[in-house]
Amino acid sequence: MSAATARTPRSYLFVPGNRPERFARAFGSGADAVIVDLEDAVAPDQKEAAREALAAWRAEGRAHPAQLVVRINDDASAWFDADLAALRTLGPCTVMLPKAESASQIDRVAAALVPGTRVIALIESARGLLEVDAIAAAPAVERLAFGTLDYALDLGLTDDPRGLLYPASRIALASRAAGLPAPIAGVTAAINDEAALRDDVGLARACGFGAKMCIHPRQVEALHAMLAPTPEQRDWAARVLAAAQAGTGAVQVDGKMVDRPVLLRASAILDYPPASTAG
């Protein structure tokens, strides 16, 4: 297993399932995971072509450092059953289920696919948020993700980011309570706006998220840099651990007591991959 797949992904890059000529670039982008999209990025008359392209690409048996995720169409759509049938031929993989609103949906997907299939539940509606604890506890769930654009549409939110604070916090709490990795934040639609990306990452991190979906390869490296601890944070963490190892009793760093939560935070900072680490 590669380093990228051994650790919890920070970045999930979308690529349209009906654009196989873009697959290689997506998997070479440095993203920790690549989402081959069969849903929103693919027009209805291209759904079958997207499934065939994914199957053909997987049949080539190419080794890629990034984890493969497939976003299928939701279970109320006309394409759901055909998506599941196509995925059964691919072997174990990670599936992203859009419009997740109940644990039974997760169970249905897992039961229809080969053993070992894992599900990323995409919470993007009021109903999904109200059921998020049960969804997070479903056995097949690997991680939760927040579909911010669809959630905002469902509730009629404005562009004010304060409207996302409560649902983001609820999703993070449900993830933690269920023992899941920190959830995945939604996309930043402004591809060339690094300030918008930084604002979105800042809000997500403030709510307890640990990863983000991207819609363009150029967002990946910037995202990794934004998620990574700063040199100043790494220096602080190193000094905390050094002080703890050298001391025989209570120790202080920068005038503050070093207790167990501080030690755990310092260890997590030093364990986090540097920003320059490719996916």
Side-chain angles (χ1 to χ4, degrees), residues 19 99 126 225 254:
R19 300 298 301 271
K99 299 176 179 63
D254 297 340

Side-chain angles (χ1 to χ4, degrees), residues 36-38 48 50-52 54-55 57-58 68-73 79-98 109-110 112-115 117-119:
V36 176
D37 192 15
L38 304 181
E48 181 58 31
R51 295 186 205 103
E52 292 174 354
L54 174 60
W57 174 82
R58 189 66 180 264
L68 169 65
V69 179
V70 181
R71 182 166 74 169
I72 61 176
N73 291 275
W79 308 286
F80 177 73
D81 290 333
D83 286 351
L84 293 183
L87 288 184
R88 279 195 291 271
T89 69
L90 298 183
C93 64
T94 299
V95 177
M96 177 174 280
L97 177 65
V109 170
L113 299 176
V114 299
T117 297
R118 304 296 293 166
V119 179

